[in-house]
Amino acid sequence: MHPSTEHLETNLKRGVSVIELSKRLQEVASFVPHGAVVADIGSDHAYLPIALCERGQVTHAVAGEVVKGPYESACRNVKKEGWADHITVRLASGLFAIDENDGVTAVTICGMGGPLIASILEEGNGRLGTVERIIAQPNIHAEAVRRWAVANGWTLVDESIVKEDGKIYEVLVLERGEASYDEEDLVFGPFLRVERAPAFVEKWREEHVSLRRVLESLKRAQPSTTIEEKRRNVTSQIERIERVVRI
Ligand code: SAM
């Protein structure tokens, strides 16, 4: 039997609670390959690596956290749930939580802005040597992660979008490879824009409404070259949403 499955069954028999992930993190977990060695970066409670171990989806994981309080909370949870032999918790910035001997094959980075995720990937690019898949869940500006991927020899192999507690989250799955995406792919997501799931349409409808408000206020502003430039920029973003999302 898979060692982790044994753990899971023992836990279930003992009536030990299994971590219940949020819908957003469940979606991320669904893209972690079975048997991967996963590094969860920004792992404040270590819920994701613990849940992956409990399900027998992975046997070894790293939980990296840069802030002491959340790091201590991750350490406590890993110990409390009995996974200290399987999950290494490290206090480190970004991918510097990964040691080359860990043999990490999948990285998850969730719950941060796209530009921060992209900068973490950029700064720690050298630690991705053994990594085959990156699962990123940017809260905003997913475009920054797609741009980083294209510039660094990664390609999108899947995307997903979920709504939880009134908020909409994109999940990006990257693997090594070359891709040639156009601007619309980078902004809206090459998979998401084709699939046009209800959450996707809702996200861009909201963005459309907010950009139209910005445009109205720019129209009322004192004319200047800067205002005119902003107006052109916002108008082109509005038109792009109308074209791609068909609203
Ligand atoms: N990943 C969890 C999730 O999705 O529920 C936690 C998200 S929480 C909003 C973001 C976490 O990332 C915080 O605990 C923060 O301290 C951590 N973080 C931010 N920048 C980081 C970095 N450069 N390296 C490691 N962790 C970082």
Side-chain angles (χ1 to χ4, degrees), residues 171-233:
V171 178
L172 278 48
V173 186
L174 316 177
E175 287 185 0
R176 290 180 193 277
E178 296 301 320
S180 60
Y181 296 126
D182 60 23
E183 271 301 297
E184 292 175 353
D185 288 329
L186 293 169
V187 174
F188 297 91
F191 291 89
L192 296 179
R193 65 180 278 212
V194 172
E195 191 193 35
R196 296 182 77 252
F200 171 84
V201 176
E202 187 179 339
K203 173 195 158 85
W204 290 105
R205 265 191 212 287
E206 283 171 8
E207 183 68 14
H208 187 256
V209 168
S210 110
L211 285 168
R212 285 188 64 121
R213 263 194 223 117
V214 173
L215 186 61
E216 284 313 309
S217 65
L218 287 171
K219 279 181 186 163
R220 286 194 299 272
Q222 191 81 338
S224 73
T225 342
T226 321
I227 291 289
E228 188 43 41
E229 198 180 314
K230 278 189 183 157
R231 236 172 65 140
R232 270 201 303 275
N233 185 286

Short mmCIF file of all heavy atoms in Angstrom, two decimals, residues 171-233:
data_model
loop_
_atom_site.label_atom_id
_atom_site.label_comp_id
_atom_site.label_asym_id
_atom_site.label_seq_id
_atom_site.Cartn_x
_atom_site.Cartn_y
_atom_site.Cartn_z
N VAL A 171 -6.79 29.67 -11.54
CA VAL A 171 -5.72 28.70 -11.24
C VAL A 171 -5.00 28.43 -12.56
O VAL A 171 -5.63 28.09 -13.56
CB VAL A 171 -6.29 27.39 -10.65
CG1 VAL A 171 -5.18 26.38 -10.40
CG2 VAL A 171 -7.06 27.66 -9.35
N LEU A 172 -3.67 28.61 -12.54
CA LEU A 172 -2.87 28.44 -13.76
C LEU A 172 -1.94 27.24 -13.58
O LEU A 172 -1.24 27.15 -12.56
CB LEU A 172 -2.01 29.69 -14.00
CG LEU A 172 -2.64 30.92 -14.67
CD1 LEU A 172 -3.96 31.31 -14.07
CD2 LEU A 172 -1.68 32.08 -14.63
N VAL A 173 -1.90 26.36 -14.56
CA VAL A 173 -1.04 25.18 -14.47
C VAL A 173 0.04 25.31 -15.54
O VAL A 173 -0.26 25.38 -16.74
CB VAL A 173 -1.86 23.89 -14.67
CG1 VAL A 173 -0.98 22.66 -14.42
CG2 VAL A 173 -3.08 23.86 -13.77
N LEU A 174 1.29 25.36 -15.09
CA LEU A 174 2.42 25.55 -16.02
C LEU A 174 3.31 24.32 -16.07
O LEU A 174 3.56 23.69 -15.05
CB LEU A 174 3.30 26.73 -15.57
CG LEU A 174 2.64 28.03 -15.11
CD1 LEU A 174 3.70 29.01 -14.64
CD2 LEU A 174 1.85 28.64 -16.25
N GLU A 175 3.75 24.00 -17.27
CA GLU A 175 4.78 22.97 -17.44
C GLU A 175 5.83 23.53 -18.40
O GLU A 175 5.57 24.52 -19.09
CB GLU A 175 4.17 21.67 -17.97
CG GLU A 175 3.35 20.96 -16.89
CD GLU A 175 2.81 19.61 -17.32
OE1 GLU A 175 3.06 19.19 -18.47
OE2 GLU A 175 2.12 18.98 -16.50
N ARG A 176 6.96 22.85 -18.47
CA ARG A 176 8.02 23.37 -19.34
C ARG A 176 7.62 23.24 -20.81
O ARG A 176 7.04 22.23 -21.21
CB ARG A 176 9.32 22.62 -19.09
CG ARG A 176 9.89 22.97 -17.73
CD ARG A 176 11.17 22.24 -17.45
NE ARG A 176 11.49 22.36 -16.03
CZ ARG A 176 12.11 23.43 -15.50
NH1 ARG A 176 12.49 24.43 -16.28
NH2 ARG A 176 12.35 23.48 -14.20
N GLY A 177 7.94 24.25 -21.56
CA GLY A 177 7.61 24.21 -23.00
C GLY A 177 7.53 25.61 -23.56
O GLY A 177 7.51 26.60 -22.81
N GLU A 178 7.54 25.68 -24.87
CA GLU A 178 7.48 26.98 -25.54
C GLU A 178 6.02 27.27 -25.89
O GLU A 178 5.26 26.37 -26.21
CB GLU A 178 8.31 26.95 -26.83
CG GLU A 178 9.79 26.73 -26.60
CD GLU A 178 10.43 27.79 -25.72
OE1 GLU A 178 10.07 28.98 -25.89
OE2 GLU A 178 11.25 27.43 -24.85
N ALA A 179 5.67 28.54 -25.85
CA ALA A 179 4.30 28.90 -26.22
C ALA A 179 4.32 30.24 -26.92
O ALA A 179 5.19 31.07 -26.66
CB ALA A 179 3.45 29.01 -24.96
N SER A 180 3.43 30.41 -27.89
CA SER A 180 3.32 31.75 -28.48
C SER A 180 1.88 32.22 -28.27
O SER A 180 0.98 31.78 -28.96
CB SER A 180 3.70 31.74 -29.96
OG SER A 180 2.84 30.87 -30.63
N TYR A 181 1.73 33.03 -27.26
CA TYR A 181 0.41 33.54 -26.92
C TYR A 181 0.26 34.97 -27.44
O TYR A 181 1.23 35.73 -27.43
CB TYR A 181 0.22 33.54 -25.40
CG TYR A 181 0.23 32.15 -24.79
CD1 TYR A 181 1.09 31.85 -23.75
CD2 TYR A 181 -0.63 31.16 -25.25
CE1 TYR A 181 1.09 30.59 -23.17
CE2 TYR A 181 -0.63 29.91 -24.68
CZ TYR A 181 0.24 29.63 -23.65
OH TYR A 181 0.25 28.38 -23.08
N ASP A 182 -0.96 35.32 -27.84
CA ASP A 182 -1.17 36.72 -28.19
C ASP A 182 -1.58 37.49 -26.92
O ASP A 182 -1.76 36.90 -25.86
CB ASP A 182 -2.19 36.86 -29.35
CG ASP A 182 -3.55 36.29 -29.00
OD1 ASP A 182 -3.86 36.20 -27.79
OD2 ASP A 182 -4.31 35.95 -29.92
N GLU A 183 -1.73 38.79 -27.05
CA GLU A 183 -2.07 39.64 -25.89
C GLU A 183 -3.34 39.16 -25.20
O GLU A 183 -3.44 39.17 -23.97
CB GLU A 183 -2.27 41.09 -26.35
CG GLU A 183 -1.02 41.92 -26.37
CD GLU A 183 -0.34 42.01 -25.00
OE1 GLU A 183 -0.94 42.55 -24.04
OE2 GLU A 183 0.79 41.51 -24.90
N GLU A 184 -4.30 38.74 -25.99
CA GLU A 184 -5.58 38.34 -25.41
C GLU A 184 -5.45 37.05 -24.59
O GLU A 184 -6.06 36.89 -23.54
CB GLU A 184 -6.65 38.24 -26.49
CG GLU A 184 -6.94 39.64 -27.02
CD GLU A 184 -7.89 39.72 -28.18
OE1 GLU A 184 -8.27 38.66 -28.71
OE2 GLU A 184 -8.24 40.85 -28.55
N ASP A 185 -4.58 36.14 -25.07
CA ASP A 185 -4.30 34.92 -24.30
C ASP A 185 -3.67 35.30 -22.96
O ASP A 185 -4.01 34.74 -21.92
CB ASP A 185 -3.29 34.02 -25.03
CG ASP A 185 -3.89 33.34 -26.26
OD1 ASP A 185 -5.10 33.06 -26.24
OD2 ASP A 185 -3.13 33.11 -27.23
N LEU A 186 -2.73 36.25 -23.02
CA LEU A 186 -2.00 36.61 -21.80
C LEU A 186 -2.91 37.30 -20.78
O LEU A 186 -2.79 37.07 -19.59
CB LEU A 186 -0.81 37.52 -22.14
CG LEU A 186 0.30 36.85 -22.94
CD1 LEU A 186 1.30 37.87 -23.46
CD2 LEU A 186 1.01 35.79 -22.10
N VAL A 187 -3.82 38.12 -21.27
CA VAL A 187 -4.70 38.85 -20.35
C VAL A 187 -5.83 37.95 -19.83
O VAL A 187 -6.11 37.93 -18.63
CB VAL A 187 -5.27 40.11 -21.04
CG1 VAL A 187 -6.31 40.79 -20.15
CG2 VAL A 187 -4.14 41.07 -21.40
N PHE A 188 -6.47 37.21 -20.73
CA PHE A 188 -7.68 36.47 -20.35
C PHE A 188 -7.39 34.99 -20.05
O PHE A 188 -8.21 34.32 -19.41
CB PHE A 188 -8.73 36.56 -21.46
CG PHE A 188 -9.20 37.96 -21.72
CD1 PHE A 188 -8.56 38.76 -22.65
CD2 PHE A 188 -10.27 38.49 -21.00
CE1 PHE A 188 -8.98 40.07 -22.88
CE2 PHE A 188 -10.69 39.79 -21.22
CZ PHE A 188 -10.04 40.59 -22.16
N GLY A 189 -6.28 34.48 -20.54
CA GLY A 189 -5.95 33.07 -20.35
C GLY A 189 -6.33 32.28 -21.58
O GLY A 189 -7.49 32.30 -21.99
N PRO A 190 -5.36 31.54 -22.16
CA PRO A 190 -5.64 30.81 -23.41
C PRO A 190 -6.72 29.75 -23.28
O PRO A 190 -7.47 29.52 -24.21
CB PRO A 190 -4.28 30.18 -23.76
CG PRO A 190 -3.51 30.17 -22.49
CD PRO A 190 -3.99 31.33 -21.69
N PHE A 191 -6.82 29.13 -22.09
CA PHE A 191 -7.88 28.11 -21.88
C PHE A 191 -9.16 28.78 -21.43
O PHE A 191 -10.24 28.46 -21.92
CB PHE A 191 -7.42 27.08 -20.84
CG PHE A 191 -6.31 26.20 -21.32
CD1 PHE A 191 -4.97 26.58 -21.13
CD2 PHE A 191 -6.57 25.00 -21.96
CE1 PHE A 191 -3.93 25.77 -21.59
CE2 PHE A 191 -5.54 24.18 -22.41
CZ PHE A 191 -4.22 24.58 -22.22
N LEU A 192 -9.02 29.72 -20.49
CA LEU A 192 -10.22 30.34 -19.90
C LEU A 192 -11.03 31.09 -20.95
O LEU A 192 -12.26 31.06 -20.93
CB LEU A 192 -9.81 31.31 -18.78
CG LEU A 192 -9.12 30.67 -17.57
CD1 LEU A 192 -8.74 31.73 -16.55
CD2 LEU A 192 -10.04 29.62 -16.93
N ARG A 193 -10.36 31.76 -21.87
CA ARG A 193 -11.10 32.58 -22.84
C ARG A 193 -11.86 31.72 -23.84
O ARG A 193 -12.86 32.16 -24.41
CB ARG A 193 -10.17 33.56 -23.57
CG ARG A 193 -9.13 32.91 -24.43
CD ARG A 193 -8.26 33.92 -25.11
NE ARG A 193 -8.90 34.46 -26.30
CZ ARG A 193 -8.26 34.87 -27.37
NH1 ARG A 193 -6.94 34.84 -27.40
NH2 ARG A 193 -8.90 35.31 -28.42
N VAL A 194 -11.39 30.50 -24.06
CA VAL A 194 -12.08 29.58 -24.97
C VAL A 194 -13.24 28.92 -24.23
O VAL A 194 -14.35 28.83 -24.73
CB VAL A 194 -11.10 28.52 -25.52
CG1 VAL A 194 -11.83 27.45 -26.31
CG2 VAL A 194 -10.03 29.19 -26.39
N GLU A 195 -12.96 28.52 -22.98
CA GLU A 195 -13.96 27.79 -22.20
C GLU A 195 -15.14 28.71 -21.81
O GLU A 195 -16.28 28.28 -21.78
CB GLU A 195 -13.28 27.23 -20.94
CG GLU A 195 -14.11 26.25 -20.19
CD GLU A 195 -13.54 25.97 -18.81
OE1 GLU A 195 -12.96 26.88 -18.17
OE2 GLU A 195 -13.66 24.84 -18.36
N ARG A 196 -14.84 29.96 -21.48
CA ARG A 196 -15.86 30.96 -21.11
C ARG A 196 -16.82 30.44 -20.02
O ARG A 196 -18.04 30.50 -20.18
CB ARG A 196 -16.64 31.44 -22.35
CG ARG A 196 -15.78 32.16 -23.35
CD ARG A 196 -16.55 32.67 -24.55
NE ARG A 196 -17.30 33.86 -24.25
CZ ARG A 196 -18.61 33.92 -24.14
NH1 ARG A 196 -19.35 32.85 -24.30
NH2 ARG A 196 -19.20 35.06 -23.87
N ALA A 197 -16.26 29.96 -18.94
CA ALA A 197 -17.07 29.47 -17.81
C ALA A 197 -17.85 30.65 -17.22
O ALA A 197 -17.42 31.80 -17.34
CB ALA A 197 -16.15 28.86 -16.76
N PRO A 198 -18.98 30.38 -16.54
CA PRO A 198 -19.76 31.47 -15.96
C PRO A 198 -18.92 32.41 -15.05
O PRO A 198 -19.09 33.62 -15.10
CB PRO A 198 -20.84 30.74 -15.16
CG PRO A 198 -20.99 29.43 -15.85
CD PRO A 198 -19.63 29.07 -16.38
N ALA A 199 -18.01 31.82 -14.25
CA ALA A 199 -17.19 32.66 -13.36
C ALA A 199 -16.27 33.58 -14.17
O ALA A 199 -15.98 34.71 -13.76
CB ALA A 199 -16.37 31.79 -12.43
N PHE A 200 -15.81 33.10 -15.32
CA PHE A 200 -14.95 33.90 -16.19
C PHE A 200 -15.74 35.10 -16.73
O PHE A 200 -15.29 36.26 -16.67
CB PHE A 200 -14.44 33.01 -17.34
CG PHE A 200 -13.72 33.75 -18.44
CD1 PHE A 200 -12.37 34.04 -18.32
CD2 PHE A 200 -14.38 34.13 -19.60
CE1 PHE A 200 -11.70 34.70 -19.35
CE2 PHE A 200 -13.73 34.78 -20.62
CZ PHE A 200 -12.38 35.07 -20.49
N VAL A 201 -16.93 34.82 -17.22
CA VAL A 201 -17.77 35.89 -17.79
C VAL A 201 -18.09 36.90 -16.68
O VAL A 201 -18.00 38.12 -16.89
CB VAL A 201 -19.05 35.31 -18.44
CG1 VAL A 201 -19.96 36.41 -18.94
CG2 VAL A 201 -18.68 34.35 -19.58
N GLU A 202 -18.41 36.39 -15.50
CA GLU A 202 -18.75 37.28 -14.39
C GLU A 202 -17.56 38.16 -14.01
O GLU A 202 -17.70 39.37 -13.81
CB GLU A 202 -19.18 36.43 -13.18
CG GLU A 202 -19.71 37.28 -12.05
CD GLU A 202 -20.17 36.43 -10.87
OE1 GLU A 202 -20.45 35.23 -11.03
OE2 GLU A 202 -20.25 37.02 -9.76
N LYS A 203 -16.38 37.56 -13.93
CA LYS A 203 -15.17 38.33 -13.59
C LYS A 203 -14.98 39.51 -14.55
O LYS A 203 -14.76 40.63 -14.15
CB LYS A 203 -13.94 37.40 -13.63
CG LYS A 203 -12.61 38.11 -13.45
CD LYS A 203 -11.46 37.20 -13.86
CE LYS A 203 -10.23 38.01 -14.21
NZ LYS A 203 -9.41 38.36 -13.06
N TRP A 204 -15.09 39.20 -15.85
CA TRP A 204 -14.80 40.24 -16.83
C TRP A 204 -15.95 41.24 -16.98
O TRP A 204 -15.72 42.39 -17.35
CB TRP A 204 -14.35 39.62 -18.16
CG TRP A 204 -12.99 39.02 -17.99
CD1 TRP A 204 -12.67 37.70 -17.88
CD2 TRP A 204 -11.75 39.75 -17.82
NE1 TRP A 204 -11.32 37.55 -17.67
CE2 TRP A 204 -10.73 38.79 -17.63
CE3 TRP A 204 -11.41 41.09 -17.81
CZ2 TRP A 204 -9.40 39.14 -17.44
CZ3 TRP A 204 -10.09 41.46 -17.61
CH2 TRP A 204 -9.09 40.49 -17.43
N ARG A 205 -17.16 40.80 -16.67
CA ARG A 205 -18.29 41.75 -16.63
C ARG A 205 -18.04 42.79 -15.53
O ARG A 205 -18.24 43.98 -15.73
CB ARG A 205 -19.60 41.02 -16.29
CG ARG A 205 -20.40 40.63 -17.50
CD ARG A 205 -21.80 40.17 -17.03
NE ARG A 205 -22.33 39.15 -17.89
CZ ARG A 205 -22.80 39.36 -19.12
NH1 ARG A 205 -22.81 40.58 -19.61
NH2 ARG A 205 -23.26 38.36 -19.84
N GLU A 206 -17.59 42.28 -14.37
CA GLU A 206 -17.30 43.19 -13.25
C GLU A 206 -16.18 44.17 -13.63
O GLU A 206 -16.25 45.35 -13.34
CB GLU A 206 -16.88 42.40 -12.01
CG GLU A 206 -18.05 41.75 -11.30
CD GLU A 206 -17.62 40.79 -10.20
OE1 GLU A 206 -16.41 40.73 -9.87
OE2 GLU A 206 -18.51 40.08 -9.68
N GLU A 207 -15.15 43.64 -14.29
CA GLU A 207 -14.02 44.47 -14.70
C GLU A 207 -14.50 45.53 -15.71
O GLU A 207 -14.08 46.69 -15.66
CB GLU A 207 -12.94 43.56 -15.33
CG GLU A 207 -11.67 44.24 -15.76
CD GLU A 207 -10.84 44.78 -14.60
OE1 GLU A 207 -11.10 44.40 -13.45
OE2 GLU A 207 -9.94 45.60 -14.88
N HIS A 208 -15.40 45.11 -16.59
CA HIS A 208 -15.96 46.00 -17.61
C HIS A 208 -16.70 47.15 -16.93
O HIS A 208 -16.50 48.32 -17.27
CB HIS A 208 -16.90 45.16 -18.49
CG HIS A 208 -17.42 45.87 -19.68
ND1 HIS A 208 -18.71 46.36 -19.75
CD2 HIS A 208 -16.86 46.19 -20.87
CE1 HIS A 208 -18.91 46.94 -20.91
NE2 HIS A 208 -17.80 46.84 -21.62
N VAL A 209 -17.54 46.81 -15.94
CA VAL A 209 -18.31 47.84 -15.21
C VAL A 209 -17.34 48.81 -14.54
O VAL A 209 -17.50 50.03 -14.63
CB VAL A 209 -19.24 47.18 -14.16
CG1 VAL A 209 -19.82 48.21 -13.20
CG2 VAL A 209 -20.35 46.39 -14.84
N SER A 210 -16.30 48.26 -13.90
CA SER A 210 -15.41 49.16 -13.17
C SER A 210 -14.59 50.04 -14.14
O SER A 210 -14.35 51.21 -13.88
CB SER A 210 -14.59 48.37 -12.17
OG SER A 210 -13.27 48.29 -12.53
N LEU A 211 -14.21 49.50 -15.29
CA LEU A 211 -13.47 50.31 -16.26
C LEU A 211 -14.36 51.40 -16.86
O LEU A 211 -13.91 52.51 -17.14
CB LEU A 211 -12.90 49.43 -17.38
CG LEU A 211 -11.68 48.59 -17.00
CD1 LEU A 211 -11.39 47.55 -18.08
CD2 LEU A 211 -10.45 49.48 -16.80
N ARG A 212 -15.63 51.09 -17.04
CA ARG A 212 -16.56 52.10 -17.59
C ARG A 212 -16.73 53.25 -16.60
O ARG A 212 -16.83 54.41 -17.00
CB ARG A 212 -17.90 51.46 -17.93
CG ARG A 212 -17.80 50.64 -19.22
CD ARG A 212 -19.15 50.19 -19.65
NE ARG A 212 -19.96 51.34 -19.99
CZ ARG A 212 -20.51 51.55 -21.17
NH1 ARG A 212 -20.31 50.69 -22.14
NH2 ARG A 212 -21.24 52.61 -21.38
N ARG A 213 -16.72 52.89 -15.31
CA ARG A 213 -16.80 53.96 -14.28
C ARG A 213 -15.56 54.84 -14.36
O ARG A 213 -15.65 56.06 -14.29
CB ARG A 213 -16.89 53.33 -12.89
CG ARG A 213 -18.31 53.24 -12.43
CD ARG A 213 -18.37 52.94 -10.94
NE ARG A 213 -19.40 51.96 -10.73
CZ ARG A 213 -19.22 50.74 -10.27
NH1 ARG A 213 -18.03 50.33 -9.90
NH2 ARG A 213 -20.23 49.93 -10.15
N VAL A 214 -14.40 54.20 -14.52
CA VAL A 214 -13.15 54.98 -14.61
C VAL A 214 -13.22 55.90 -15.83
O VAL A 214 -12.87 57.08 -15.76
CB VAL A 214 -11.93 54.02 -14.73
CG1 VAL A 214 -10.65 54.79 -15.00
CG2 VAL A 214 -11.79 53.17 -13.48
N LEU A 215 -13.73 55.35 -16.93
CA LEU A 215 -13.81 56.14 -18.16
C LEU A 215 -14.72 57.36 -17.96
O LEU A 215 -14.38 58.47 -18.40
CB LEU A 215 -14.32 55.26 -19.32
CG LEU A 215 -14.32 55.89 -20.69
CD1 LEU A 215 -12.92 56.31 -21.12
CD2 LEU A 215 -14.90 54.93 -21.73
N GLU A 216 -15.85 57.14 -17.30
CA GLU A 216 -16.77 58.26 -17.05
C GLU A 216 -16.07 59.35 -16.24
O GLU A 216 -16.20 60.52 -16.55
CB GLU A 216 -18.02 57.77 -16.29
CG GLU A 216 -19.02 57.01 -17.14
CD GLU A 216 -19.34 57.71 -18.47
OE1 GLU A 216 -19.67 58.92 -18.42
OE2 GLU A 216 -19.22 57.08 -19.53
N SER A 217 -15.32 58.94 -15.22
CA SER A 217 -14.67 59.98 -14.41
C SER A 217 -13.55 60.66 -15.19
O SER A 217 -13.30 61.84 -15.02
CB SER A 217 -14.19 59.43 -13.07
OG SER A 217 -13.18 58.50 -13.29
N LEU A 218 -12.91 59.92 -16.10
CA LEU A 218 -11.86 60.55 -16.92
C LEU A 218 -12.47 61.56 -17.88
O LEU A 218 -11.87 62.59 -18.20
CB LEU A 218 -11.08 59.48 -17.71
CG LEU A 218 -10.12 58.62 -16.90
CD1 LEU A 218 -9.58 57.47 -17.75
CD2 LEU A 218 -8.95 59.46 -16.37
N LYS A 219 -13.69 61.27 -18.31
CA LYS A 219 -14.37 62.19 -19.25
C LYS A 219 -14.69 63.51 -18.54
O LYS A 219 -14.76 64.55 -19.17
CB LYS A 219 -15.65 61.55 -19.77
CG LYS A 219 -15.43 60.57 -20.92
CD LYS A 219 -16.74 60.01 -21.39
CE LYS A 219 -16.53 58.93 -22.44
NZ LYS A 219 -17.73 58.11 -22.63
N ARG A 220 -14.92 63.41 -17.22
CA ARG A 220 -15.28 64.62 -16.46
C ARG A 220 -14.03 65.38 -16.01
O ARG A 220 -14.13 66.51 -15.56
CB ARG A 220 -16.11 64.23 -15.23
CG ARG A 220 -17.55 63.83 -15.56
CD ARG A 220 -18.39 63.80 -14.30
NE ARG A 220 -17.91 62.82 -13.34
CZ ARG A 220 -18.28 61.54 -13.32
NH1 ARG A 220 -19.16 61.09 -14.19
NH2 ARG A 220 -17.78 60.70 -12.44
N ALA A 221 -12.87 64.74 -16.12
CA ALA A 221 -11.63 65.37 -15.62
C ALA A 221 -11.17 66.50 -16.53
O ALA A 221 -11.54 66.55 -17.71
CB ALA A 221 -10.53 64.33 -15.49
N GLN A 222 -10.39 67.40 -15.97
CA GLN A 222 -9.80 68.52 -16.73
C GLN A 222 -8.96 67.94 -17.86
O GLN A 222 -8.07 67.12 -17.59
CB GLN A 222 -8.89 69.31 -15.75
CG GLN A 222 -8.41 70.61 -16.27
CD GLN A 222 -9.49 71.68 -16.09
OE1 GLN A 222 -10.68 71.39 -15.97
NE2 GLN A 222 -9.08 72.92 -16.12
N PRO A 223 -9.19 68.31 -19.12
CA PRO A 223 -8.43 67.69 -20.22
C PRO A 223 -6.93 67.98 -20.11
O PRO A 223 -6.53 69.07 -19.74
CB PRO A 223 -9.02 68.36 -21.48
CG PRO A 223 -10.26 69.05 -21.03
CD PRO A 223 -10.14 69.31 -19.57
N SER A 224 -6.15 66.99 -20.41
CA SER A 224 -4.68 67.13 -20.47
C SER A 224 -4.16 65.95 -21.28
O SER A 224 -4.90 65.01 -21.56
CB SER A 224 -4.07 67.11 -19.06
OG SER A 224 -4.14 65.79 -18.55
N THR A 225 -2.90 66.01 -21.66
CA THR A 225 -2.34 64.91 -22.46
C THR A 225 -2.39 63.61 -21.67
O THR A 225 -2.70 62.53 -22.22
CB THR A 225 -0.85 65.20 -22.82
OG1 THR A 225 -0.59 66.57 -22.65
CG2 THR A 225 -0.48 64.74 -24.20
N THR A 226 -2.09 63.68 -20.37
CA THR A 226 -2.10 62.46 -19.54
C THR A 226 -3.51 61.88 -19.47
O THR A 226 -3.69 60.66 -19.61
CB THR A 226 -1.62 62.80 -18.10
OG1 THR A 226 -0.57 63.73 -18.19
CG2 THR A 226 -1.22 61.58 -17.35
N ILE A 227 -4.49 62.76 -19.25
CA ILE A 227 -5.88 62.28 -19.14
C ILE A 227 -6.30 61.64 -20.47
O ILE A 227 -6.92 60.57 -20.50
CB ILE A 227 -6.83 63.46 -18.77
CG1 ILE A 227 -6.55 63.93 -17.34
CG2 ILE A 227 -8.30 63.07 -18.96
CD1 ILE A 227 -6.99 62.97 -16.24
N GLU A 228 -5.91 62.29 -21.55
CA GLU A 228 -6.29 61.76 -22.89
C GLU A 228 -5.66 60.38 -23.11
O GLU A 228 -6.30 59.46 -23.60
CB GLU A 228 -5.81 62.77 -23.96
CG GLU A 228 -6.29 62.49 -25.37
CD GLU A 228 -7.76 62.08 -25.45
OE1 GLU A 228 -8.61 62.67 -24.76
OE2 GLU A 228 -8.04 61.14 -26.20
N GLU A 229 -4.41 60.23 -22.68
CA GLU A 229 -3.71 58.94 -22.84
C GLU A 229 -4.41 57.86 -22.00
O GLU A 229 -4.64 56.74 -22.45
CB GLU A 229 -2.27 59.11 -22.37
CG GLU A 229 -1.37 58.01 -22.88
CD GLU A 229 0.07 58.21 -22.41
OE1 GLU A 229 0.56 59.36 -22.51
OE2 GLU A 229 0.64 57.25 -21.91
N LYS A 230 -4.77 58.22 -20.76
CA LYS A 230 -5.46 57.26 -19.87
C LYS A 230 -6.80 56.88 -20.49
O LYS A 230 -7.20 55.72 -20.45
CB LYS A 230 -5.71 57.91 -18.49
CG LYS A 230 -4.52 57.85 -17.60
CD LYS A 230 -4.86 58.29 -16.19
CE LYS A 230 -3.63 58.30 -15.31
NZ LYS A 230 -3.74 59.16 -14.15
N ARG A 231 -7.49 57.86 -21.06
CA ARG A 231 -8.80 57.59 -21.66
C ARG A 231 -8.69 56.60 -22.82
O ARG A 231 -9.47 55.66 -22.93
CB ARG A 231 -9.39 58.92 -22.20
CG ARG A 231 -10.73 59.24 -21.62
CD ARG A 231 -11.15 60.60 -22.02
NE ARG A 231 -11.35 60.66 -23.47
CZ ARG A 231 -12.34 61.32 -24.04
NH1 ARG A 231 -13.23 61.94 -23.31
NH2 ARG A 231 -12.44 61.37 -25.35
N ARG A 232 -7.65 56.80 -23.63
CA ARG A 232 -7.44 55.89 -24.77
C ARG A 232 -7.15 54.48 -24.27
O ARG A 232 -7.67 53.50 -24.78
CB ARG A 232 -6.26 56.38 -25.63
CG ARG A 232 -6.70 57.33 -26.75
CD ARG A 232 -5.63 57.38 -27.86
NE ARG A 232 -4.33 57.76 -27.35
CZ ARG A 232 -3.92 59.02 -27.19
NH1 ARG A 232 -4.71 60.02 -27.53
NH2 ARG A 232 -2.72 59.29 -26.73
N ASN A 233 -6.32 54.43 -23.22
CA ASN A 233 -5.92 53.13 -22.66
C ASN A 233 -7.13 52.38 -22.08
O ASN A 233 -7.34 51.20 -22.36
CB ASN A 233 -4.86 53.41 -21.59
CG ASN A 233 -4.29 52.15 -21.03
OD1 ASN A 233 -4.95 51.47 -20.26
ND2 ASN A 233 -3.07 51.81 -21.43
#
